[in-house]
Amino acid sequence: MTDIAPSPDPDLVNALRALSNPMRLQMLQWLRDPELHFPMETAIADPAEVGVCVSHLQAKAGLAQSTVSAYMAELQRAGLVRATRVGKWTHYRRDEQRIADLVTALGRTL
């Protein structure tokens, strides 16, 4: 008799896929403590409340704006970050509750 394992949670798979890219993982780590990693004197919004502007992420990562936007969109689709528009700029911040839920789900799965 063959045991068929249940399929993994698709949300967990999407989150792990998003985190499999080293730069996306690095960006998520930077967003954990934005005051430490990004210049606060040039912020146009509170990084703890609204998030970090994509232009600051771009400058720190040294990547093209389109690449950073694509990376952040992937993290957003995985539910790891939330995006907020401030004027013409997009700001990103971590979704701490979603990250905690995924860590719990990973612990149950493995």
Side-chain angles (χ1 to χ4, degrees):
M1 189 167 181
T2 308
D3 285 334
I4 298 175
S7 296
D9 178 358
D11 290 338
L12 182 58
V13 171
N14 288 337
L16 292 173
R17 185 177 301 123
L19 294 173
S20 70
N21 177 288
M23 183 51 71
R24 286 194 298 258
L25 180 58
Q26 180 67 67
M27 290 177 178
L28 194 63
Q29 290 171 333
W30 290 336
L31 291 174
R32 185 174 193 176
D33 193 0
E35 293 84 7
L36 178 65
H37 296 287
F38 299 98
M40 295 297 103
E41 62 276 1
T42 58
I44 62 171
D46 180 8
E49 185 178 323
V50 178
V52 174
C53 182
V54 74
S55 64
H56 291 144
L57 286 160
Q58 174 194 2
K60 186 158 181 83
L63 299 171
Q65 185 272 331
S66 59
T67 302
V68 172
S69 292
Y71 283 176
M72 296 311 294
E74 180 72 20
L75 290 171
Q76 185 179 8
R77 282 190 297 276
L80 300 169
V81 298
R82 293 181 181 229
T84 302
R85 296 284 294 183
V86 178
K88 63 179 181 175
W89 295 278
T90 302
H91 290 67
Y92 291 95
R93 65 182 171 86
R94 291 165 47 112
D95 186 335
E96 297 297 343
Q97 182 59 53
R98 174 79 171 127
I99 292 169
D101 292 347
L102 287 168
V103 168
T104 301
L106 185 60
R108 284 193 314 264
T109 302
L110 298 178

